[in-house]
């Protein structure tokens, strides 16, 4: 897993909708069972949310290593 829960991320590519590029939010959940590879769930600063592939996101700010509250399905 490239990101940790709580990391601030930016959408650099949105292959499904194409409208989320440039949006920033917080990575809140990882789903390793998703066959579509949309494993990274992000809640955006404006209240929206969506699933993304790892390569569609870039790290803005990393959470501290003490954050052990990972939500993994």
């Amino acid at each position: 897993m490239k990101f940790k829960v709580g990391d601030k991320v930016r959408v650099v590519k949105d292959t499904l909708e194409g409208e989320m590029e440039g949006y920033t939010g917080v990575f809140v959940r990882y789903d390793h069972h998703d066959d579509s590879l949309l494993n990274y769930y992000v809640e955006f600063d404006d209240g929206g949310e969506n699933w993304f592939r790892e390569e569609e996101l870039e790290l803005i700010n990393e959470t501290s290593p003490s954050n052990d509250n990972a939500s993994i399905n």
Side-chain angles (χ1 to χ4, degrees):
M1 199 165 59
K2 182 176 180 178
F3 306 106
K4 295 187 303 278
V5 170
D7 283 351
K8 183 87 168 181
V9 295
R10 176 181 294 116
V11 179
V12 293
K13 184 176 183 181
D14 181 6
T15 55
L16 292 181
E17 297 178 18
E19 300 173 0
M20 305 301 293
E21 290 179 26
Y23 277 61
T24 60
V26 176
F27 166 54
V28 294
R29 187 167 66 231
Y30 179 81
D31 184 356
H32 67 278
H33 298 294
D34 187 2
D35 293 335
S36 72
L37 300 177
L38 297 173
N39 305 107
Y40 292 85
Y41 189 72
V42 176
E43 291 182 350
F44 296 104
D45 300 338
D46 67 359
E49 67 249 349
N50 209 344
W51 290 93
F52 294 93
R53 295 174 185 227
E54 183 175 288
E55 63 270 9
E56 295 179 314
L57 302 171
E58 73 176 358
L59 182 65
I60 297 175
N61 286 327
E62 190 173 358
T63 59
S64 66
S66 63
N67 184 2
D68 294 331
N69 298 325
S71 175
I72 299 176
N73 292 336

